[in-house]
Amino acid sequence: SQDVITTLDVVSSASAGPKVVTRRVVQKGFYSDEEDESVEEEVQVVETPLNNTRNILGLPGVAQPVNKDAEEDMDLDEDHRLLLQSAMPLLKSRNAGVVLQVCSLLYYCGVSSVKTRSAIGKALVRIHRGRREIQYVVLTSIRTLVKECPSAFAPFLNDFFVKALDPPHTRIIKVDILVSLALEPAAIEAVLKELRTYIRSADKKFVAAAIRAVGRVAELARIVYDRHGQKSGSALQERQTANRIALDCL
């Protein structure tokens, strides 16, 4: 294999716009008797004033190219943005406590973006599969977040189906989460099909919670199908589908 060393040389910096930078890539030979090869190419980068830039340690340093993926939080303070960027990798931690704290940080202090919501949902769903005491704490947090941000957990609908070995208090929380995720026609059908099996349980409290959930989903179905009918221009057909779902719930 070959080692690649990259160096940057500024060629033009007269204007305030993108600067042309020469990037020199040096390919070092694998053996000591081989000669090194270097290739130069010109690229354009956008730089900010040096007195406003900070490196990864938070200290003044050389201006860095602007990352297009971070344009949504460019209006944040430098330290604030550095904190959020440094916290994102911690969502992959094996420590459930660390993941919960990072999710709280991103929820209260982060930017409301699709990338952030997706990362939070994926991290919480991953750690909720742990021990029972961890599962209860994580599911409680998910139940709170899913009411305000259901899109973060919508791809993981099947992960919240009640399992036979789930403790009673965990089952009730999962039922609440399933109701909050019933915001699309496909999700409504899947949740109602799942709730019908819960009604046959021997746990009376769980059965009562499932029956209440069926009623809440039936109410949501009319709102969801009416919204889809307005978008597709088939309001009457969608309303009939919602009425059929309500009758089936009886």
Side-chain angles (χ1 to χ4, degrees):
S1 60
Q2 294 179 332
D3 296 330
V4 178
I5 301 177
T6 304
T7 59
L8 296 179
D9 297 328
V10 177
V11 174
S12 174
S13 60
S15 60
K19 297 181 180 181
V20 178
V21 175
T22 299
R23 182 170 59 183
R24 183 181 299 108
V25 180
V26 180
Q27 296 181 345
K28 301 188 67 176
F30 183 82
Y31 298 100
S32 59
D33 58 348
E34 291 184 354
E35 296 182 357
D36 298 340
E37 297 180 358
S38 63
V39 179
E40 293 185 358
E41 57 181 2
E42 293 185 353
V43 295
Q44 290 185 347
V45 296
V46 180
E47 295 185 347
T48 55
L50 294 179
N51 56 356
N52 291 331
T53 59
R54 293 174 180 266
N55 56 22
I56 192 62
L57 298 177
L59 302 175
V62 180
Q64 300 293 332
V66 177
N67 185 3
K68 293 183 179 180
D69 296 334
E71 289 181 354
E72 55 194 4
D73 59 350
M74 288 300 295
D75 57 339
L76 297 177
D77 182 78
E78 288 287 339
D79 294 331
H80 190 176
R81 184 165 63 251
L82 180 62
L83 171 64
L84 298 179
Q85 292 176 354
S86 302
M88 286 294 290
L90 295 177
L91 290 175
K92 299 180 181 179
S93 173
R94 295 183 179 181
N95 190 313
V98 172
V99 176
L100 281 174
Q101 292 300 323
V102 174
C103 290
S104 299
L105 170 66
L106 297 176
Y107 177 74
Y108 291 107
C109 302
V111 179
S112 180
S113 63
V114 176
K115 179 180 178 181
T116 302
R117 292 195 296 265
S118 177
I120 292 175
K122 186 176 181 180
L124 290 177
V125 170
R126 176 178 62 85
I127 64 174
H128 103 282
R129 303 188 184 101
R131 298 189 300 272
R132 288 188 176 185
E133 58 272 16
I134 296 177
Q135 186 181 48
Y136 174 76
V137 175
V138 176
L139 286 175
T140 303
S141 301
I142 293 176
R143 180 172 58 178
T144 302
L145 293 175
V146 75
K147 295 179 181 179
E148 299 185 11
C149 184
S151 61
F153 304 95
F156 311 103
L157 177 66
N158 294 345
D159 288 277
F160 300 109
F161 288 168
V162 177
K163 298 178 176 58
L165 298 179
D166 287 340
H169 52 274
T170 299
R171 294 182 177 185
I172 303 299
I173 298 176
K174 283 189 173 182
V175 169
D176 292 339
I177 295 174
L178 289 176
V179 174
S180 299
L181 292 177
L183 299 178
E184 294 294 334
I188 290 175
E189 294 181 2
V191 171
L192 286 177
K193 182 179 179 180
E194 188 71 12
L195 291 176
R196 291 190 183 98
T197 63
Y198 301 162
I199 297 176
R200 304 170 185 173
S201 174
D203 188 346
K204 295 183 179 180
K205 291 184 178 180
F206 179 55
V207 171
I211 293 175
R212 289 193 298 268
V214 169
R216 291 161 59 190
V217 173
E219 294 178 357
L220 289 172
R222 173 164 295 187
I223 299 175
V224 172
Y225 280 93
D226 285 349
R227 183 175 69 247
H228 278 264
Q230 294 175 358
K231 293 181 179 179
S232 61
S234 57
L236 180 59
Q237 182 179 358
E238 296 293 341
R239 174 57 67 88
Q240 292 176 351
T241 303
N243 292 337
R244 177 182 57 80
I245 290 177
L247 291 175
D248 292 342
C249 293
L250 299 177

